[in-house]
Amino acid sequence: MIVRSLTRCTHRRLHVCRPRTIQAKPRRFTTSSSSSTSSTTIPPPTALMLGTFTNELDKIAPKFEIQGSQIQVLRTPSEFYETLKTKILAAEDRIFLSTLYIGKTEHELITTIQQALRSKPRLKLSILTDALRGTRESPDASCASLLAPLVEEFGWERVEIRMYHTPNLTGLRKKYIPRRINEGWGLQHMKLYGVDDEIILSGANLSSDYFTNRQDRYHVFSSEEITGHFSQIHDTVSKLSFLVTPDAQNPAGYTLEWPSTNLAPSPLTSLEKYITSASKALRPLILPLSKALPTTSEEKLTSKPNTTIYLLSQFTQLLAPPDPSTELPLIRSLLTTLSTPQFNTSSWTFTAGYFNPDPTLTSLLLSSASTNNVVITASPYANGFFGSRGVSGLLPAAYTLLSRRFLESAAKTPHSRANITLKEWRRGTVGEEEGWTYHAKGLWISLDGSNDPSISIVGSSNYTKRSYGLDLEVGACIVTEDEGLKQRLGEERDGLQGFATETGLDEFVRPDRRVGIRVRVAMWIVKMVGGAL
């Protein structure tokens, strides 16, 4: 989760000779808007480039084919919140919500859910959060105590509240590691907000700051098949998690139980069997499908799909080797393709609020042949840890140090020095009136000199070493020829940059940006107790 900087764009481009690579013959990725100029239809350059990507992506992750118009891109926290509440109130059959936590004071959201359940007797609700984060404040008010009354009112047959507990925190480690710090050993970090046949993929949790002044990304997919697939993932992880049971005798108001109907024994009592059973249950949902499945929308009946969605997941903690998780391999594939000379007219934008990409991703970003590339990350004044007490309060400075190191690496090669720009996002100052935090993460890729992206990744992951080794993550890779969707993706990317300012290496020599020994020690402590930032 760390860093924030790349390199200042100098407006000069240097040709870089790279080893010639042999490319597999690209799959034809046709577009419904292309027209034939001769008896033989020749796909436009962008379509051929997309085929180069999808030839490899097809081998990595399950995919579905839809129309670009089936994806709505939301832009603000308030739009996300209002959309979520509207869809919950309109739900007919099911609501399933996977999130790290629901804020302990989110009574309006709970009231909205209650209204939906009361007005629709057949409607069912399933919520999955993290056990460590969701019970952090117990026996005081917590996420768990907020949700338990829903079960009491509507019964087990309609409401199920689950909490995932990492299998990486057991025995003496669990006994002696204090709360909050123990969350460093792994979390349920998926963000899946499904209602009937629609789903919102995001990096946002369900608490007031994410509804008001914490910038993230939010994509609404209107697809029965995509929603159904993510619903299966939600249900499977839920059956590998604790059940929240109302308990009036417990001061916290609830207890966590491990039902005998779960797919595995508890990780706290039988770790090896838990991992074996979890792997067996999850692998069929992760591996690529034999072919793309089109949606059943009316639009599909009159036109060919113009957008492919690859469903991404990272479940390393739950999987026995070999790990078939898909997000890290897919992003590596995208960036590896971008490193070849034929993509020197492409460009990418990469963002993470806590910019500390997995080392392999950092290397690939720096070796890209693309031009005019941008990294967006949080300014120290828009970092969620700004002003925090203790070790966490040192983290904004730690991200500054990591950003500087990234910029120094980028400056070592003429191509990356001239073609990678770091921008820090800031909208006011955290803790002050009108101050926002930045939590967005994603990747946009534009091809063949186009401004609008043809490829984008959205989801819960921060793309860090921790994301790929400790937490549960989900997301989607969008590959599209739909001009309307490409425009919406471009507007989303450019909208985030509206609050971002270019930051170069000279910025980090300012006295207020220098990093002292306390921060370096804190980085070491965090690494030791949590494995990664």
Side-chain angles (χ1 to χ4, degrees):
M1 315 153 61
I2 296 183
V3 189
R4 60 201 79 210
S5 307
L6 272 220
T7 292
R8 184 184 293 194
C9 181
T10 63
H11 301 295
R12 58 192 176 95
R13 298 185 184 178
L14 300 180
H15 178 68
V16 179
C17 295
R18 298 178 182 270
R20 188 177 180 181
T21 57
I22 299 176
Q23 293 293 320
K25 184 179 180 181
R27 180 186 73 174
R28 176 170 295 182
F29 197 105
T30 60
T31 172
S32 58
S33 62
S34 62
S35 59
S36 176
T37 58
S38 66
S39 58
T40 302
T41 301
I42 301 176
T46 300
L48 290 173
M49 289 182 171
L50 285 175
T52 303
F53 287 101
T54 56
N55 276 340
E56 297 304 314
L57 304 188
D58 288 352
K59 305 171 186 176
I60 297 173
K63 66 179 183 180
F64 295 87
E65 293 181 344
I66 65 174
Q67 299 297 328
S69 58
Q70 293 174 249
I71 302 175
Q72 179 186 6
V73 180
L74 309 179
R75 300 281 296 278
T76 66
S78 59
E79 187 179 10
F80 163 58
Y81 186 38
E82 294 305 318
T83 299
L84 179 62
K85 289 191 296 180
T86 297
K87 292 189 181 299
I88 286 173
L89 289 174
E92 295 289 342
D93 298 310
R94 63 176 175 180
I95 301 169
F96 64 95
L97 309 174
S98 300
T99 190
L100 174 61
Y101 67 99
I102 297 178
K104 60 185 180 182
T105 60
E106 294 308 312
H107 301 295
E108 182 183 56
L109 177 61
I110 298 304
T111 298
T112 301
I113 292 174
Q114 289 173 322
Q115 290 175 354
L117 290 168
R118 289 167 183 167
S119 64
K120 308 285 179 59
R122 69 176 186 178
L123 179 63
K124 294 185 178 181
L125 169 71
S126 176
I127 296 178
L128 171 66
T129 71
D130 184 76
L132 300 176
R133 181 62 182 86
T135 61
R136 178 197 290 176
E137 301 90 349
S138 293
D140 295 330
S142 66
C143 172
S145 64
L146 177 74
L147 297 176
L150 290 173
V151 179
E152 194 168 20
E153 178 177 355
F154 298 103
W156 300 111
E157 67 279 2
R158 296 189 63 198
V159 173
E160 182 180 74
I161 310 298
R162 296 279 190 155
M163 290 194 165
Y164 167 85
H165 190 292
T166 174
N168 198 36
L169 185 68
T170 59
L172 293 177
R173 181 186 289 175
K174 178 174 176 61
K175 183 176 181 179
Y176 291 110
I177 297 297
R179 291 183 180 180
R180 184 157 189 171
I181 292 180
N182 64 12
E183 296 169 26
W185 272 267
L187 295 168
Q188 192 308 100
H189 201 248
M190 301 188 297
K191 315 296 163 60
L192 296 171
Y193 306 128
V195 177
D196 292 338
D197 293 333
E198 292 186 305
I199 188 166
I200 303 175
L201 295 186
S202 180
N205 293 304
L206 301 180
S207 65
S208 59
D209 50 347
Y210 290 94
F211 300 152
T212 55
N213 59 4
R214 191 163 174 80
Q215 182 65 57
D216 215 298
R217 298 177 67 208
Y218 333 87
H219 285 202
V220 184
F221 294 79
S222 298
S223 164
E224 177 183 351
E225 287 74 18
I226 291 174
T227 304
H229 193 92
F230 279 123
S231 176
Q232 290 183 66
I233 289 177
H234 169 97
D235 291 343
T236 301
V237 177
S238 293
K239 290 182 175 62
L240 296 166
S241 304
F242 283 91
L243 185 70
V244 177
T245 303
D247 186 355
Q249 304 303 315
N250 189 321
Y254 67 88
T255 57
L256 298 183
E257 299 179 356
W258 193 266
S260 60
T261 54
N262 270 8
L263 297 175
S266 169
L268 304 184
T269 59
S270 186
L271 180 58
E272 185 174 343
K273 290 182 179 179
Y274 177 81
I275 297 297
T276 299
S277 298
S279 294
K280 183 178 180 181
L282 286 169
R283 281 177 185 269
L285 300 175
I286 296 173
L287 298 175
L289 304 172
S290 58
K291 63 178 181 179
L293 298 180
T295 66
T296 57
S297 67
E298 293 182 4
E299 199 166 16
K300 179 260 174 182
L301 300 176
T302 59
S303 59
K304 292 182 179 179
N306 56 25
T307 301
T308 300
I309 308 300
Y310 295 89
L311 308 191
L312 309 181
S313 59
Q314 198 71 33
F315 295 147
T316 298
Q317 276 211 354
L318 292 176
L319 300 169
D323 180 4
S325 292
T326 56
E327 183 182 283
L328 182 57
L330 186 139
I331 299 179
R332 283 174 176 168
S333 177
L334 290 175
L335 297 180
T336 298
T337 300
L338 287 177
S339 70
T340 59
Q342 73 185 82
F343 287 95
N344 62 2
T345 58
S346 64
S347 64
W348 52 258
T349 297
F350 182 90
T351 189
Y354 308 109
F355 181 66
N356 180 32
D358 180 89
T360 61
L361 299 187
T362 298
S363 178
L364 287 168
L365 288 170
L366 293 172
S367 64
S368 171
S370 303
T371 56
N372 298 320
N373 308 307
V374 176
V375 167
I376 312 168
T377 190
S379 158
Y381 302 99
N383 187 292
F385 294 104
F386 183 81
S388 297
R389 296 180 179 179
V391 172
S392 61
L394 301 177
L395 291 180
Y399 293 127
T400 291
L401 176 60
L402 291 167
S403 297
R404 191 189 79 191
R405 290 175 179 174
F406 186 83
L407 281 174
E408 290 171 343
S409 296
K412 292 178 180 179
T413 62
H415 183 79
S416 59
R417 181 169 65 246
N419 287 291
I420 298 178
T421 301
L422 175 82
K423 295 184 178 182
E424 290 187 338
W425 191 99
R426 181 179 181 183
R427 190 172 177 179
T429 300
V430 177
E432 297 181 3
E433 188 176 358
E434 305 298 327
W436 285 48
T437 53
Y438 186 74
H439 198 246
K441 43 258 188 174
L443 175 68
W444 299 261
I445 298 173
S446 300
L447 301 176
D448 197 31
S450 172
N451 179 60
D452 290 333
S454 297
I455 300 173
S456 185
I457 292 178
V458 63
S460 62
S461 175
N462 288 304
Y463 311 119
T464 63
K465 184 177 179 181
R466 170 183 176 135
S467 298
Y468 299 134
L470 297 175
D471 295 339
L472 304 188
E473 310 282 7
V474 290
C477 176
I478 302 167
V479 181
T480 186
E481 292 181 287
D482 183 86
E483 294 299 329
L485 177 57
K486 289 165 64 175
Q487 181 178 348
R488 295 193 295 277
L489 292 172
E491 290 171 349
E492 176 192 40
R493 175 203 61 198
D494 296 344
L496 292 175
Q497 294 186 56
F499 292 94
T501 302
E502 182 178 336
T503 306
L505 277 172
D506 55 346
E507 173 77 12
F508 295 102
V509 302
R510 288 171 36 190
D512 61 324
R513 299 297 293 270
R514 291 177 182 172
V515 177
I517 187 63
R518 291 177 64 242
V519 172
R520 298 172 190 266
V521 170
M523 291 174 65
W524 178 82
I525 292 174
V526 171
K527 183 176 181 180
M528 294 301 296
V529 302
L533 288 173

